[in-house]
Amino acid sequence: MKTISKLALVAAFATGASSMALTTPAFAKDKKADAAATVKLSPEVQKPGLAAQTALTAKDYATAQTAIDQVDAAAKTDYEKYIGAALRYQLESEKLVAAQTANPNAPINETTLATPLDALIANPATPAADRGRYAYRRGALAFNGKQYPIALQYFAKAKELGYSDPNLPLQIIKAKMDSGDVAGATADLDASITQMSASGQKAPEEYYRYAIAKSYAAKRKPETMAWLKKWITAYPSAKNWRDVLILSGIQKDALITLDEPQKVDIFRLMRATNSLADQTDYLQYADSVNRRGLPSEAQAVIKEGLASGKIPAANTMAKGLLADATKNIAADGPLSGLEKRAATAPNGKLAAGTADAYLGQNNYAKSVELYRLALTKGGVDADDVNLHLGIALARSGDKAGAATAFSAVKASPKADIAGLWTTWLGAPAA
């Protein structure tokens, strides 16, 4: 049996911003050049500041380092301290770029950016338009260092300062997620998707896959199921439906613990969504219904698998199942006799069983009639009958009637199966 394809985590989500270029104030070389800047600088700061800027232009980082140290030592005002922090951030950023260019495979140590960034964020002389950008960069730096609470602090600061980079909400979500706040992160992601939908945009599929993967890893089963339904509604396809249904109820560590008859109803939904993927799916489905006394359904499933080429014509198990199902159909005879007996039976058990057989024959009108008779007579599992009634109505095209029947299924796990069928009713065609 195949297992669900991995719901890969989403590449579309950023893991940190790249180093941002910094525009430092120019250091005037004469009285005519930018008097507004020079008037705020003492000679003790202006001279090494100009030396640092010249050295940075020449990529002479050792000389720039010495000059910036002199700026910091001489700085008295907030503006002078801003100049020193701005120059140091530029120096450390350029050194990182140079190191990465020289050795692209070497690990990047961004921690040297933290001190100048903190100084720039805290300094009232830093231009207001830049402080949000620096806060975001500082948050990305903390995120890259797996310091998620610190990252969240700076991302929140960036947002407070009016920084509007489109990656900021996603960075906050990812930082929350990686800090262990799965509930908070997925709530934010859901709000982001809702906001995108309201503005006429469609959220990327990776958003849903990311939420599913993280919720499943955190063993948040109801939340995972909810995200699966949102995903398949937004991105219906045969492959996605198979992933949803295998994860929901077929694989070993599925979200819903199902017995074999209940798994049949998942396979029926796989059949309805054209998501039976290979011979394993078809054979497991057919074998299960054949052993449950539904040979017509087993026969139909095998024939569909052979016709599609998903079951090889020479498959021994398929040949055996087909022969066995054909023999059982002949032995059972027509269902009309059972239908008559069901009408006079003291309870609805025979009517429900006969309805199941008609369902397997794709005779939805007869199955609906008998399921309703079974409910009227009583003595049956009402959840089971309503689930199958909903399936018959759904396959017949009566979506409203099917939704009503599925809503009458109250107890898990059958209510969970009904919920998946209800999702299919509302989802666009794959």
Side-chain angles (χ1 to χ4, degrees):
M1 172 62 61
K2 282 189 175 181
T3 57
I4 186 172
S5 61
K6 290 184 179 179
L7 297 174
L9 285 182
V10 170
F13 284 85
T15 58
S18 59
S19 296
M20 296 181 179
L22 175 68
T23 302
T24 56
F27 290 89
K29 294 184 178 180
D30 55 55
K31 293 181 180 179
K32 294 181 181 180
D34 198 357
T38 58
V39 73
K40 298 179 182 179
L41 299 178
S42 66
E44 293 81 8
V45 170
Q46 184 181 2
K47 183 177 179 180
L50 179 58
Q53 193 173 61
T54 302
L56 285 169
T57 301
K59 301 190 183 303
D60 180 358
Y61 299 132
T63 299
Q65 175 76 58
T66 300
I68 293 169
D69 288 343
Q70 292 171 355
V71 170
D72 286 345
K76 297 292 190 297
T77 67
D78 286 336
Y79 185 74
E80 290 176 339
K81 292 173 184 177
Y82 159 67
I83 292 298
L87 286 169
R88 191 170 299 280
Y89 180 59
Q90 183 178 351
L91 169 65
E92 297 301 338
S93 297
E94 290 190 15
K95 284 166 63 178
L96 282 175
V97 172
Q100 190 173 17
T101 302
N103 190 355
N105 297 322
I108 301 173
N109 179 13
E110 296 181 306
T111 57
T112 54
L113 299 175
T115 298
L117 279 171
D118 286 342
L120 287 165
I121 295 165
N123 195 322
T126 301
D130 290 337
R131 291 179 69 209
R133 177 165 59 94
Y134 293 141
Y136 175 72
R137 182 66 187 95
R138 183 65 177 87
L141 184 68
F143 182 91
N144 292 343
K146 302 186 186 302
Q147 298 173 316
Y148 303 119
I150 295 174
L152 284 169
Q153 171 190 334
Y154 281 105
F155 288 148
K157 183 68 173 177
K159 190 174 182 180
E160 176 190 326
L161 291 168
Y163 188 66
S164 59
D165 188 285
N167 283 328
L168 178 56
L170 303 182
Q171 286 282 37
I172 292 172
I173 288 166
K174 201 164 190 308
K176 282 187 178 181
M177 191 75 79
D178 290 349
S179 69
D181 183 9
V182 179
T186 51
D188 286 354
L189 185 56
D190 193 32
S192 180
I193 291 172
T194 300
Q195 185 176 16
M196 292 180 73
S197 299
S199 65
Q201 301 178 56
K202 186 174 183 178
E205 186 172 7
E206 287 76 9
Y207 286 19
Y208 298 94
R209 288 180 174 271
Y210 180 74
I212 290 164
K214 291 295 188 179
S215 298
Y216 182 71
K219 302 187 185 303
R220 297 173 62 85
K221 291 186 177 183
E223 291 80 3
T224 306
M225 181 64 78
W227 277 103
L228 285 172
K229 291 176 180 178
K230 291 174 184 177
W231 172 43
I232 202 60
T233 300
Y235 289 93
S237 70
K239 180 185 180 303
N240 287 356
W241 265 113
R242 184 177 190 278
D243 284 355
V244 166
L245 296 174
I246 293 293
L247 178 57
S248 293
I250 300 297
Q251 70 180 37
K252 184 178 179 181
D253 51 349
L255 298 176
I256 318 166
T257 302
L258 303 177
D259 59 23
E260 186 177 355
Q262 292 159 357
K263 286 182 180 180
V264 166
D265 293 323
I266 296 292
F267 278 118
R268 285 172 172 154
L269 185 50
M270 291 175 73
R271 186 182 179 192
T273 56
N274 297 313
S275 59
L276 292 166
D278 55 26
Q279 60 183 323
T280 304
D281 289 347
Y282 281 95
L283 294 174
Q284 183 175 343
Y285 178 8
D287 179 57
S288 184
V289 290
N290 192 50
R291 285 186 287 104
R292 289 186 63 218
L294 300 171
S296 293
E297 189 168 0
Q299 182 188 68
V301 169
I302 292 294
K303 286 183 176 180
E304 286 176 15
L306 289 168
S308 69
K310 293 178 180 178
I311 301 178
N315 185 283
T316 303
M317 183 176 177
K319 289 180 178 179
L321 275 171
L322 190 58
D324 193 41
T326 303
K327 181 181 68 176
N328 290 338
I329 291 169
D332 289 345
L335 295 176
S336 55
L338 290 175
E339 186 180 348
K340 290 178 181 178
R341 287 169 53 196
T344 59
N347 57 52
K349 291 181 180 179
L350 183 57
T354 308
D356 283 342
Y358 274 127
L359 180 64
Q361 292 181 351
N362 298 341
N363 189 336
Y364 304 123
K366 278 292 185 184
S367 61
V368 167
E369 178 186 331
L370 286 162
Y371 284 134
R372 285 176 170 158
L373 176 62
L375 290 170
T376 300
K377 284 181 170 290
V380 293
D381 181 335
D383 277 352
D384 192 62
V385 175
N386 276 310
L387 174 58
H388 291 168
L389 172 60
I391 292 171
L393 289 165
R395 296 308 308 270
S396 73
D398 183 357
K399 291 187 175 183
T404 299
F406 288 139
S407 68
V409 183
K410 301 302 182 184
S412 294
K414 291 172 186 173
D416 299 309
I417 299 171
L420 289 166
W421 276 91
T422 301
T423 298
W424 176 58
L425 292 177

